[in-house]
Amino acid sequence: QGTVTQATSKSTGVTLNKSAGQITMNNAALAGATAVSFTLTNSLISTNDLLILNVGAGATAVAYTVYTSSTGTGSAVITLRNMTAATSYSEAVVINFALIHCQ
């Protein structure tokens, strides 16, 4: 496992070459009913892999959903969506991830 923190915004890409870990997002505001995506660069990821994600610490309960938008050789695009209708949150959301190799 490993950890990494976004430097400047919620859309800033991060690099973590581990099969599992935590990504601490920047605490910039995310408006209600909006989503933001960033790239996780990870040399262990291949196009056929499965990236399991969940929202961990630092987040208002049931306010967010997180998913993998795409995977490619060496990277994945992760999207965090604020599910509330009108509430903007400025939270350093922690995303837990685990990589499963499918081939």
Side-chain angles (χ1 to χ4, degrees):
Q1 279 192 313
T3 61
V4 66
T5 301
Q6 284 182 319
T8 57
S9 74
K10 280 186 165 49
S11 62
T12 300
V14 296
T15 300
L16 184 58
N17 296 311
K18 301 286 184 179
S19 60
Q22 292 184 320
I23 302 163
T24 301
M25 297 187 74
N26 186 277
N27 64 351
L30 183 60
T34 60
V36 64
S37 298
F38 66 93
T39 299
L40 167 63
T41 301
N42 183 324
S43 62
L44 302 176
I45 297 174
S46 67
T47 56
N48 296 323
D49 289 346
L50 176 64
L51 193 60
I52 298 173
L53 305 166
N54 75 316
V55 176
T60 299
V62 301
Y64 302 97
T65 188
V66 63
Y67 53 91
T68 306
S69 299
S70 64
T71 58
T73 302
S75 69
V77 175
I78 297 172
T79 301
L80 178 78
R81 181 169 179 79
N82 180 343
M83 299 300 290
T84 62
T87 304
S88 178
Y89 291 109
S90 297
E91 300 176 317
V93 176
V94 175
I95 298 172
N96 301 313
F97 76 89
L99 178 62
I100 298 175
H101 297 289
C102 296
Q103 283 188 3

